[in-house]
Amino acid sequence: MNIFNTKKFPFYKQVDQYDCGPTCLKIVSKYFGRNFSTEHLRDICKITPDGITIKSLMAGAEKIGWNCNSKMNIQLSCNILFI
């Protein structure tokens, strides 16, 4: 019996060096019971050959139901909205 009721985070490997943001969204979304393909997350985050910005990562997260805000442009805070 697990007295701490801990749940392991799933593991997904980045497809390439630019996929860190979408891959993180995929891991956290899967942890909370939502499944998205990496390609879909790349599309909604508007990934570019230069990578991804925090702004586009937050916009992508909001498109899949997260409520995101940034504080002082260095902290990222996202809350999952359960529908």
Side-chain angles (χ1 to χ4, degrees):
M1 181 173 145
N2 186 350
I3 62 171
F4 296 107
N5 195 22
T6 58
K7 184 176 170 183
K8 289 187 178 186
F9 268 82
F11 173 78
Y12 294 101
K13 188 175 180 178
Q14 289 178 222
V15 176
D16 60 35
Q17 64 188 12
Y18 306 109
D19 278 341
C20 57
T23 303
C24 288
L25 287 180
K26 183 174 183 159
I27 290 169
V28 176
S29 294
K30 178 69 175 176
Y31 179 82
F32 286 103
R34 312 246 348 250
N35 294 309
F36 300 99
S37 70
T38 303
E39 190 62 36
H40 174 67
L41 295 171
R42 290 182 77 178
D43 288 343
I44 65 171
C45 290
K46 298 184 177 15
I47 198 166
T48 69
D50 294 325
I52 190 169
T53 64
I54 291 292
K55 184 177 180 178
S56 62
L57 179 62
M58 290 174 64
E62 288 179 346
K63 287 179 183 175
I64 60 171
W66 294 22
N67 179 15
C68 300
N69 61 62
S70 63
K71 298 176 184 173
M72 298 179 4
N73 294 330
I74 54 171
Q75 293 180 330
L76 176 65
S77 172
C78 291
N79 299 309
I80 303 292
L81 295 178
F82 292 98
I83 300 171

